[in-house]
Amino acid sequence: DQQVKQNSPSLSVQEGRISILNCDYTNSMFDYFLWYKKYPAEGPTFLISISSIKDKNEDGRFTVFLNKSAKHLSLHIVPSQPGDSAVYFCAASAVGSGATNKLIFGTGTLLAVQP
Amino acid sequence: ETGVTQSPTHLIKTRGQQVTLRCSSQSGHNTVSWYQQALGQGPQFIFQYYREEENGRGNFPPRFSGLQFPNYSSELNVNALELDDSALYLCASSLEENTEAFFGQGTRLTVV
């Protein structure tokens, strides 16, 4: 049972344009959402997070949008840069999950930013 | 401030053997979580340790066990290795009540 889904395995975008990565979840108990970026041979690197009391969080070129009614979140990267090319993971956690920081990850989306 | 470090980076073991993976948490972090990432999948939560006690476990059999030491470093032990245990094992540390977990570079385990 995949509670966090990233339905696009890959995405290709031109440098300077917007990248939009999508994530859907099924568990209504999730109340904290995170995006991680992963380069080959490295561990995931935290990018940005959002709590369920917000619908938008912005950090520089990265913005995360949360639509609780649709159980959907998205990561916008503007403008996209070649160095953004990596696998992006969406993750979620729930208060009372039995462990703080127990993250449920999606399967990832490979972003390729073309120069 | 040092980040999360894991050792070894790569390991090859034979089916049926036992393995120990090690993790040093980021300075000041008292919570360590372990994840298994199979090829083409996202990381899957194995368990978490908080102040030397197991604080939550994912859907993994008892042959996956762990320890956390007083300095908050941690070990993941896997007994009776199976071929399907081949994966990238990730350690993440975090502050109590802080949901932003910081990951190490991982240990690539291959079981043959």
Side-chain angles (χ1 to χ4, degrees), chain A residues 87-104:
Chain A
V87 176
Y88 288 77
F89 289 101
C90 168
S93 70
V95 171
S97 64
T100 57
N101 311 315
K102 174 184 175 181
L103 298 175
I104 308 299

Side-chain angles (χ1 to χ4, degrees), chain A:
Chain A
D1 175 30
Q2 191 73 22
Q3 296 185 67
V4 178
K5 300 177 187 178
Q6 294 177 256
N7 292 317
S8 299
S10 63
L11 175 67
S12 183
V13 170
Q14 286 294 121
E15 181 179 5
R17 305 296 289 268
I18 184 171
S19 296
I20 300 177
L21 296 102
N22 293 303
C23 178
D24 297 293
Y25 61 96
T26 58
N27 189 340
S28 56
M29 297 300 292
F30 288 149
D31 59 1
Y32 199 81
F33 304 89
L34 307 90
W35 284 93
Y36 283 85
K37 177 169 75 172
K38 187 178 184 301
Y39 294 117
E42 294 184 14
T45 302
F46 170 74
L47 263 181
I48 192 168
S49 62
I50 188 167
S51 128
S52 61
I53 62 172
K54 292 185 165 185
D55 55 18
K56 177 182 173 181
N57 189 28
E58 198 169 350
D59 184 3
R61 297 185 298 116
F62 302 91
T63 303
V64 56
F65 295 92
L66 175 62
N67 182 334
K68 288 190 294 292
S69 61
K71 293 192 178 67
H72 176 84
L73 64 156
S74 60
L75 174 68
H76 293 208
I77 306 173
V78 182
S80 301
Q81 300 173 354
D84 296 329
S85 297
V87 176
Y88 288 77
F89 289 101
C90 168
S93 70
V95 171
S97 64
T100 57
N101 311 315
K102 174 184 175 181
L103 298 175
I104 308 299
F105 283 85
T107 52
T109 296
L110 175 62
L111 173 65
V113 180
Q114 310 296 334

